[in-house]
Amino acid sequence: MHYGNVIVGPFDTGAMKKLAIIGDNVNVASRIESSNKEFGTNMLLSEEAYQKVRDTYPRSNVYETTLKGKTGKYKLYELMS
């Protein structure tokens, strides 16, 4: 799960019509979702997403990793109940 700006709009190729969501933040969310396999988790949040819920979920496991196609290290959070 990630939090950030994206572009949302209709995608129409004539035969196919759907709503499309594009942008770098969509790619980051996809890379974070793929990290679940690496850590054996079900749902991970980016730093940006965790900042939105940290008061409600103050306990979390924190993982640091790289994301494919991105530079630097990313902190990912697994919420604890």
Side-chain angles (χ1 to χ4, degrees):
M1 189 177 294
H2 185 52
Y3 179 87
N5 292 325
V6 297
I7 298 169
V8 180
F11 181 76
D12 184 352
T13 62
M16 181 179 67
K17 295 180 184 183
K18 66 179 183 177
L19 186 64
I21 303 170
I22 60 172
D24 188 55
N25 286 317
V26 175
N27 295 329
V28 171
S30 176
R31 301 298 189 249
I32 291 169
E33 193 278 329
S34 295
S35 295
N36 282 301
K37 291 179 187 174
E38 177 183 352
F39 297 114
T41 54
N42 292 316
M43 183 175 69
L44 292 168
L45 284 74
S46 67
E47 180 76 34
E48 293 83 355
Y50 182 67
Q51 293 305 315
K52 299 295 180 184
V53 300
R54 71 180 179 174
D55 291 339
T56 305
Y57 299 96
R59 291 187 40 207
S60 66
N61 289 326
V62 182
Y63 304 93
E64 192 169 338
T65 190
T66 57
L67 299 177
K68 183 179 176 182
K70 307 299 292 175
T71 58
K73 296 271 187 171
Y74 288 79
K75 281 188 180 179
L76 303 179
Y77 296 81
E78 177 187 30
L79 302 182
M80 305 296 292
S81 51

